[in-house]
Amino acid sequence: MRSSTLPVLAALAASCAATETELPPVTSEALQALISLDGLTSGAQQLQVIADAAGGNRVFGSKGHNDTVYFLYDTLLATGYYDVYLQDFVELFSGGTSSLTVNGEAMEADLFTYDSSGSASADLVAVSNLGCELADYPPESANAVVLISRGECPFAQKASNAAAAGALGALIYNNVPGAISGGTLSEPGDYAPSLSISQEDGLALLAQVEAGTPVAVELEVNAILENRTTYNVIAETKGGDHDNVIALGAHTDSVEAGPGINDNGSGTIGILNVALALTRFTITNAVRFGFWSAEEFGLKGSTYYVSTLNQTAGETAKVRAYLNFDMIASPNYAYMIYDGDGSSFNLTGPPGSAEIEADFEAFFTSAGQNFTATAFDGRSDYGPFLENNIPAGGLFTGAEDPKTPEEVAMFGGTADVAYDANYHQPGDTIDNIAWDAFLLNTKAIANSIALYATDLSKIPPVSATALPKRARSVDVRGAVRSTPRQKRASGIKSHACTRRGHVLNI
Ligand SMILES: *[C@@H]1O[C@H](CO)[C@@H](O)[C@H](O)[C@H]1NC(C)=O
Ligand SMILES: *[C@@H]1O[C@H](CO)[C@@H](O)[C@H](O)[C@H]1NC(C)=O
Ligand SMILES: *[C@@H]1O[C@H](CO)[C@@H](O)[C@H](O)[C@H]1NC(C)=O
Ligand SMILES: *[C@@H]1O[C@H](CO)[C@@H](O)[C@H](O)[C@H]1NC(C)=O
Ligand SMILES: *[C@@H]1O[C@H](CO)[C@@H](O)[C@H](O)[C@H]1NC(C)=O
Ligand SMILES: *[C@@H]1O[C@H](CO)[C@@H](O)[C@H](O)[C@H]1NC(C)=O
C-alpha cells in the first residue's frame, strides 16, 4: 500500500531530499504540466485493486474504504510536504440484501437505506393516489404487499404509512423510466420492509392488479444497521500562511453496490494527483486537502469535519474558500461548474463563490472547451462549508440524469443517455471512466489551486455572520424533467429531486 508500490504517483511527489527553500513558487502552468494520464490511471487502478480485494466496493466502514483511507494517508505522509491526520468519527451504516419474486419470477429490486428487515409472501394491493396519506391505503392493505408510485412525499412517509396500514411489505415504483438508484428513508423508523422497482415493472404490476389478476409477491429484506467507525483524511501543507487556507475535497467512500471509481474515486484521485504535484513548489497560502468519508450517507464526513472547526478561535474563517470535486470523469460527461454566481439556477454562494466560478470558466475558455452550470444547491460535501459562509465552487461531470441534445452539441457523447449510466452500480469501474474529462478537470483543479495558493485577494474574507440555511426545497422528481437550460428559462430553482449527497429521499 505504500508509495513504493505506486511508482508513478511516488515520482510525482518531490524527492525528500529537496527542501522547501530549493523549490520554485507554484504557477498554474508548472502545476498543470505535472498532471498526467499516467498519474490518474495509476491512482484509479489503485482504488480498483482495493475495491476488488474487498468484495467489490469501498462503502464506509468496510475493508475497501479503510484501505482507501490508509492508501491516501500513507501516500501523502510519505511526501513529507504535508501534515496528515486521520479524523475518526462514528456513523450509522445501513446496507444489506434483498430479494423479490412476483408470480414465481425474480424481479429486479433495491432496498432503501435505513430499510426495515422482514419478509412477506402475500398478494399485491395497489394504493390510491401516491400513498402519502394513510387514507390512500385500502383495508385490503393489511397483511398484503402494497404497490405505491414514487412522488409527492418522501419514501419514508410511504414506507411508514404502509406499516401503519398493516402491510407486510411495500413496492415503490419509479415515476420516471428505469430503476430508483440510491433511495433512502433518511433515518431508521417503523417501516414496512420496502423495495424499489423500475417504473416499467411497477406499471406492468399495476395493470395486472387493476385488471383483477392476483399478483403473488415474495419479498425479503435483510437490512444491516450498525454504528461504524470511519475516517476523514486531512492533509495540510506544512508551508504557507495557515491563517489564509485554500481547502479542497472529495469523498472517499463508494456506495455498497459498486467500486465507485467515478463516484467519487475520480475526485479523490484528481485531488491526490494535485496534492503530489504541489510538493514540488512553494506556496504563499496553505492548502488543505479533505478526503471525506460517508458522503453517500448524507455528507457525514464533511459535516463532522466542519463541526470540529473552532469558530471562536477563528478556524472557520481561516478557510478562505473550499473547492469540491465529486464525479469528474463521467463516461457521457458535460463540463459542469457549480453555479456560484446564481446566474443559471438563482442559488448564489457566499461572496467569493462567483469569483471561483469565473476562474473555472476562464480555465475552460482558455482550454477551448465549452462548459455549463450545475445547481449550487449544497448537496455534496461543499454544503457544510456554505452553511458556515465559506465561499465554494467545484466541478461535476454528471450522474444519473440524461444528457440533453444541446449538451451533446457542446460536449459530444450520446443524447438521452445518463451522464454516468453506471452511477451507483457495479459498472462504476476503471473501464467506465472518461479519461479526457478526468485529465482536463484535474488540470482545472491544478489551475485553481495554483491561483489561490499564490493569491487569495480576489476572495473576500469569510463573514462571521452565518448564512441562513439554504433552501432545500422539495420537488417531486420526475414532475418536471427539465434540462439546465430549460430551468434557466423557466426560473425553476432547485434540482428535480431532493438529495443529501447522492441519495434520494423522495
Ligand atoms: C475499518 O476501520 C474501523 C476503524 O478502525 C474498524 O472499526 C473496522 O473494523 C474496520 N473495518 C474492517 C472491515 O476492517
Ligand atoms: C448508534 O449510536 C447511537 C448513539 O450512541 C445510538 O443511539 C444508536 O442506538 C446506535 N445504533 C445502533 C444501530 O447501534
Ligand atoms: C475554541 O477556541 C477558544 C478560543 O481560543 C477556546 O477558549 C476554546 O476552548 C476552544 N474550544 C475548543 C472546543 O477547543
Ligand atoms: C460525486 O459528486 C457529485 C457532484 O458533486 C455529487 O452530487 C455526488 O454526491 C458525489 N458522489 C459521491 C459518491 O460523492
Ligand atoms: C431568485 O431568488 C430570490 C430569493 O429567493 C427571489 O426573490 C427572486 O425572485 C428569484 N429570481 C428569479 C429570477 O427567479
Ligand atoms: C461548443 O458548443 C458548440 C455548440 O453550442 C459547438 O458548435 C462547438 O463545436 C463546441 N466546441 C467544442 C470545442 O466542442
Side-chain angles (χ1 to χ4, degrees), residues 45-70:
Q45 273 166 351
Q46 187 64 25
L47 294 191
Q48 184 73 51
V49 165
I50 287 171
D52 290 347
N57 70 60
R58 298 182 303 104
V59 71
F60 88 83
S62 70
K63 174 172 160 47
H65 186 257
N66 287 359
D67 288 348
T68 302
V69 162
Y70 305 144

Side-chain angles (χ1 to χ4, degrees), residues 199-283:
Q199 181 179 41
E200 295 77 1
D201 285 340
L203 293 178
L205 293 179
L206 182 65
Q208 291 178 52
V209 172
E210 284 178 342
T213 315
V215 178
V217 175
E218 309 253 352
L219 162 162
E220 186 160 346
V221 176
N222 299 302
I224 300 169
L225 268 185
E226 62 192 22
N227 286 318
R228 290 185 170 181
T229 301
T230 186
Y231 298 106
N232 291 326
V233 185
I234 314 292
E236 182 154 334
T237 53
K238 289 180 178 164
D241 176 358
H242 297 278
D243 290 336
N244 287 289
V245 176
I246 168 73
L248 71 166
H251 72 90
T252 53
D253 60 316
S254 74
V255 293
E256 200 174 19
I261 302 303
N262 182 33
D263 181 9
N264 208 31
S266 57
T268 299
I269 295 306
I271 73 170
L272 176 64
N273 273 260
V274 173
L276 296 178
L278 192 62
T279 62
R280 304 206 173 196
F281 304 97
T282 56
I283 50 188

Side-chain angles (χ1 to χ4, degrees), residues 80-164:
Y81 187 84
Y82 294 99
D83 288 319
V84 191
Y85 75 97
L86 296 180
Q87 182 184 44
D88 63 293
F89 62 101
V90 175
E91 189 51 55
L92 184 62
F93 171 85
S94 157
T97 56
S98 65
S99 66
L100 175 66
T101 64
V102 176
N103 292 331
E105 302 255 334
M107 182 176 277
E108 285 283 323
D110 293 308
L111 44 67
F112 289 91
T113 306
Y114 308 116
D115 218 330
S116 296
S117 289
S119 59
S121 178
D123 277 350
L124 192 63
V125 169
V127 306
S128 306
N129 305 314
L130 294 168
C132 294
E133 307 297 328
L134 200 46
D136 292 338
Y137 294 70
E140 312 86 85
S141 301
N143 299 315
V145 172
V146 286
L147 180 66
I148 315 169
S149 170
R150 180 181 185 185
E152 191 174 290
C153 64
F155 298 128
Q157 197 168 328
K158 298 173 196 239
S160 59
N161 281 344

Side-chain angles (χ1 to χ4, degrees), residues 342 345-348 471 488 490-493:
F345 294 89
N346 198 22
L347 278 171
T348 49
R488 232 160 283 170
S490 63
I492 293 167
K493 282 168 244 154

Side-chain angles (χ1 to χ4, degrees), residues 23 67 107 115 128 245 259 291 297 329 343 360 379:
L23 301 173
D67 288 348
M107 182 176 277
D115 218 330
S128 306
V245 176
F291 297 88
F297 284 75
S343 62
F360 279 125
R379 290 182 187 125

Side-chain angles (χ1 to χ4, degrees), residues 368 370 409-410:
N370 290 312
M410 293 170 74

